[in-house]
Amino acid sequence: MEFIPAPAVLRVLCADCGTAIEPNGANLCVPCLRNTIDITEGIPKQASVSFCRNCERFLSPPSQWIPARLESSELLALCLKKLKGLSKVRLTDAHFIWTEPHSKRLRISLTVQKEVLTSTILEQTFEIEYLVQHGQCQDCSRLAAKNTWKAMVQVRQKVHHKRTFLFLEQLILKYGAQKDTVSVKEVKDGLDFFYASRNHAIKMVEFLASVVPVRSKASEQLLSADTHSNTANFKYTYSVEIAPICKDDLVCLPLKLARSLSNISPLVVCTRVGSSVVVLDPATLQQADVPAQVFWRGPFESLATVSDLVEFTVLDVDIDRKQPHRGGGAGGKKKLLMADVQVALSGAFRSSGGKSNGYDEEMMDFESLGETTQIYHTRTHLGAILQPGDTVLGYHITLSNFNSPEYAALKTDRIPDVILVKKMYPNRRKKSRARPWQLKSMAKEVDEEESGKGRGGVVGRMGGRDQKKVDEDYELFLRDLEEDEEMRKDVNLYKVKGDVTMRGPGAGKSGHGMDVDEEGGEDEADFPKVKLDELLEDFDEMTLGNGGT
């Protein structure tokens, strides 16, 4: 095997210290080259960063405050951004050097490269020390001066319940519209949202207009003005009014409006409220949408609300097979089916939103039906779910007195005696069974004792309202979610941690596995249940609090 010697390495002496080195363009060794040329020249070795102790955020020039933990990548990027001469060299490595957390110092080690002579790249490592200066951000300064908001959105609805705002609260949480809100305050007829920026308030107004029928009005208040620089400081207020029409309300449309909506009957029931009001004629299954612009052009009010609903007992159901069924009906059912039914009053007038509100109500003796109660014949859209013996809620038109010129203009032969709205489940409701799901609330701080009693959210927790009325409104809202599948699509339902057990005096099981109450009555077979795939895991979020079950 032939030996081939390696080529000889020629070396020269360093021009300064005389050390043998490989030849380069400068004929200098690395230590002498570093002593001669400093590539870190122009890069400051000391700098400062501003830190707000109240919100624990760092200032990112020129005016943005960002949250960053010590020795995090966000803080490292912020510190490197403050170095002016760093663009003249190539940064190859940067990392924090540990310092005492209370020393108000940050130390960073940097490794940079730069071409100093022809085909000669010099690499150098050095340290930079940052002084942490305590300051105060604009939000904390405004809070300290008790000037916490710059824009306010006043949301109002002139009704006697809070079900609309409970549903609106869930919509806000689902789509994250509350992230820019400084605080929320409950008032008599609605909520007040406070913001630190006018753009955030405008964004909330646009969100409200996309989910509920509203009209808005803007106003401004001058706080201060500088005539020399021609600048002024304003506070902005946006007044948003929600249409006073709610789900399951009885409505008498103006005659001109009814004719424009495909000549629908003026006496209708509201089945859904979104960006428009959806109404249904129970006698013909005809539906119509009333957009927000059309509604506010000629606003109208409800003849009766859910607090005026009366319990009826279904005696006979005769389904009209000639009428085709339609989808998207009240109560979350997939279809609507016309039927002629016979109903009778279930005892005295009892309101679903009154004093009892469906809690442990005494049902009437069914054997006495027909002897002291008058029987009514009516047509209804609930033929697909009603059976003889069921309990249904409806409006007793015959014994009601409405102060409405639109209703007075109706022909007497077109006014039914009873208008049925939705089916009831008294056997299941009287047991006070715990629900396996729960809702979230916008409340950031909720007392444990208060959240265990009932509503723990921002709606119903403030404003000096009666706690019993708050609990009744919340219970009615939860029942609407259970019975309306379409309504649940706009709400996030969360699983309840732990086992869900049955509460109440009627807890028990029959020998055949059927749930029974104390009097032996079986549960309704078609009782609406929330499916497991509709529930989300209960993630802990800083801005949310339990809304109760």
Side-chain angles (χ1 to χ4, degrees), residues 216-237:
S216 60
K217 183 185 298 183
S219 62
E220 58 185 23
Q221 178 185 1
L222 178 63
L223 297 181
S224 61
D226 187 357
T227 57
H228 300 284
S229 60
N230 197 20
T231 58
N233 186 18
F234 291 92
K235 271 191 174 182
Y236 302 92
T237 303

Side-chain angles (χ1 to χ4, degrees), residues 312-319 337-344 375-384 386-388 392 418 420:
F312 294 91
T313 301
V314 179
L315 303 181
D316 187 21
V317 179
D318 184 12
I319 298 179
L337 192 60
M338 288 299 304
D340 296 324
V341 297
Q342 297 181 11
V343 295
I375 299 176
Y376 299 94
H377 300 262
T378 185
R379 288 178 63 84
T380 180
H381 60 290
L382 304 177
L386 290 184
Q387 296 179 358
V392 63
V418 174
L420 303 182

Side-chain angles (χ1 to χ4, degrees), residues 267-288:
L267 196 60
V268 292
V269 175
C270 178
T271 58
R272 187 176 179 272
V273 177
S275 57
S276 61
V277 179
V278 182
V279 294
L280 169 70
D281 182 8
T284 61
L285 291 185
Q286 185 179 358
Q287 292 185 356

Side-chain angles (χ1 to χ4, degrees), residues 38 45 47 55 126 143 177 186 200 217 352 359 395 467 471 475 499 514 519 542:
D38 184 13
K45 304 303 186 292
C55 58
F126 63 101
L143 182 63
E186 185 183 17
H200 296 161
K217 183 185 298 183
S352 64
Y359 297 109
Y395 294 104
Q467 184 63 35
D471 296 339
E475 175 64 22
D499 298 333
M514 293 287 292
E519 299 178 358
M542 295 181 61

Side-chain angles (χ1 to χ4, degrees), residues 128-160:
I128 297 179
E129 186 180 66
Y130 288 87
L131 174 64
V132 179
Q133 297 178 346
H134 290 166
Q136 202 171 40
C137 64
Q138 295 179 356
D139 297 337
C140 295
S141 299
R142 202 177 289 117
L143 182 63
K146 297 182 179 181
N147 185 17
T148 57
W149 60 275
K150 190 174 183 179
M152 177 176 60
V153 179
Q154 298 176 340
V155 186
R156 300 290 186 268
Q157 187 186 34
K158 298 179 181 180
V159 291
H160 300 291

Side-chain angles (χ1 to χ4, degrees), residues 479-509:
R479 292 182 181 184
D480 288 341
L481 288 179
E482 283 182 335
E483 299 172 5
D484 195 337
E485 184 178 355
E486 185 178 0
M487 186 178 179
R488 291 200 300 269
K489 295 180 181 179
D490 297 327
V491 177
N492 287 338
L493 305 180
Y494 297 87
K495 298 178 182 178
V496 175
K497 297 180 180 179
D499 298 333
V500 180
T501 58
M502 189 172 175
R503 298 195 304 262
K509 288 280 185 179

Side-chain angles (χ1 to χ4, degrees), residues 214-385:
V214 300
R215 63 177 176 182
S216 60
K217 183 185 298 183
S219 62
E220 58 185 23
Q221 178 185 1
L222 178 63
L223 297 181
S224 61
D226 187 357
T227 57
H228 300 284
S229 60
N230 197 20
T231 58
N233 186 18
F234 291 92
K235 271 191 174 182
Y236 302 92
T237 303
Y238 296 89
S239 178
V240 179
E241 183 180 358
I242 304 177
I245 307 295
C246 301
K247 183 176 177 291
D248 297 332
D249 284 358
L250 180 64
V251 179
C252 186
L253 301 175
L255 185 59
K256 184 178 179 181
L257 177 61
R259 289 176 178 175
S260 64
L261 299 175
S262 302
N263 200 22
I264 192 174
S265 174
L267 196 60
V268 292
V269 175
C270 178
T271 58
R272 187 176 179 272
V273 177
S275 57
S276 61
V277 179
V278 182
V279 294
L280 169 70
D281 182 8
T284 61
L285 291 185
Q286 185 179 358
Q287 292 185 356
D289 291 353
V290 183
Q293 297 83 358
V294 177
F295 176 84
W296 292 112
R297 197 178 303 155
F300 53 88
E301 297 182 354
S302 302
L303 286 181
T305 62
V306 291
S307 59
D308 302 317
L309 289 174
V310 181
E311 291 183 15
F312 294 91
T313 301
V314 179
L315 303 181
D316 187 21
V317 179
D318 184 12
I319 298 179
D320 189 356
R321 301 294 180 180
K322 298 180 181 179
Q323 293 285 345
H325 63 79
R326 297 185 181 180
K333 297 300 179 182
K334 295 183 179 180
K335 64 179 181 179
L336 302 176
L337 192 60
M338 288 299 304
D340 296 324
V341 297
Q342 297 181 11
V343 295
L345 282 174
S346 297
F349 282 82
R350 288 198 305 227
S351 167
S352 64
K355 296 182 179 180
S356 59
N357 194 33
Y359 297 109
D360 300 330
E361 293 181 354
E362 295 182 359
M363 302 304 295
M364 70 166 294
D365 187 5
F366 291 98
E367 297 180 356
S368 63
L369 271 175
E371 299 179 1
T372 59
T373 305
Q374 186 176 357
I375 299 176
Y376 299 94
H377 300 262
T378 185
R379 288 178 63 84
T380 180
H381 60 290
L382 304 177
I385 60 175

